[in-house]
């Protein structure tokens, strides 16, 4: 059966150089899609400051530290994420990333996951 995924044009097989992608990002909290597979998206993003508390009704969300150290805060604990470390936030769990200094982060989540989850905050909403 035809679906959106099977009709997708097959592009060249190429590596992605994260350093170059990150150099193109000047804003904080605006993820950029750098890869797609199986209905999921690989994104890179720069964080600085505090993101609003939110949760995602239907999506698990992976945060992986690429440069610097940030915190993922939950209502009952706070987890520090450093370079080469990742954490998967299960759907439904309230969270917010907090970065004292600018950090670079990779996200992995289903396509069309809204970065602000259940809340509406134009200041932080990713633009496609
Ligand atoms: Ni989230």
């Amino acid at each position: 059966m035809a679906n959106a995924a099977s009709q997708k044009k097959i592009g060249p097989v190429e590596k992605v150089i994260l350093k170059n992608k990150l150099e193109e990002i000047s804003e904080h909290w605006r993820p950029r899609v750098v890869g797609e597979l199986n209905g999921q998206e690989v994104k890179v993003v720069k964080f600085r400051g505090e993101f609003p508390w939110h949760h995602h009704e239907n999506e698990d969300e992976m945060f992986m530290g690429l440069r610097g150290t940030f915190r993922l805060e939950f209502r009952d604990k706070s987890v520090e994420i450093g370079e080469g470390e990742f954490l998967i936030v299960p759907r439904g769990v309230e969270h917010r990333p907090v970065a004292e200094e600018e950090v670079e982060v990779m996200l992995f989540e289903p396509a069309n996951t809204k970065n602000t989850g259940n809340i509406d905050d134009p200041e932080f909403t990713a633009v496609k």
Side-chain angles (χ1 to χ4, degrees):
M1 196 173 75
N3 59 36
S6 66
Q7 288 168 5
K8 201 176 116 183
K9 190 168 144 274
I10 298 172
V13 179
E14 281 175 357
K15 70 177 177 182
V16 174
I17 303 170
L18 291 176
K19 183 175 163 284
N20 296 351
K21 299 290 184 186
L22 284 156
E23 275 172 6
E24 293 168 11
I25 298 177
S26 54
E27 285 181 302
H28 298 110
W29 308 116
R30 310 270 189 210
R32 172 165 307 196
V33 177
V34 294
E36 281 181 73
L37 67 165
N38 307 315
Q40 306 272 323
E41 286 178 342
V42 181
K43 302 173 189 174
V44 289
V45 60
K46 291 181 180 177
F47 292 164
R48 194 178 66 200
E50 288 181 2
F51 199 77
W53 284 104
H54 67 282
H55 70 271
H56 306 270
E57 210 61 61
N58 302 304
E59 299 95 5
D60 305 325
E61 194 173 36
M62 186 186 99
F63 293 81
M64 177 167 178
L66 299 176
R67 185 178 63 81
T69 299
F70 66 103
R71 293 195 309 278
L72 275 170
E73 294 190 344
F74 302 93
R75 291 301 188 184
D76 61 343
K77 66 175 177 179
S78 171
V79 181
E80 202 172 86
I81 305 291
E83 296 172 10
E85 299 178 345
F86 75 85
L87 185 153
I88 297 167
V89 179
R91 64 197 66 188
V93 173
E94 242 192 328
H95 60 282
R96 67 166 181 179
V98 177
E100 310 291 349
E101 309 277 341
E102 182 183 88
V103 293
E104 296 172 349
V105 176
M106 177 179 279
L107 305 172
F108 186 60
E109 59 196 9
N112 301 318
T113 300
K114 197 177 147 208
N115 65 332
T116 51
N118 63 312
I119 66 153
D120 239 335
D121 190 330
E123 191 188 333
F124 292 98
T125 302
V127 280
K128 278 264 175 178

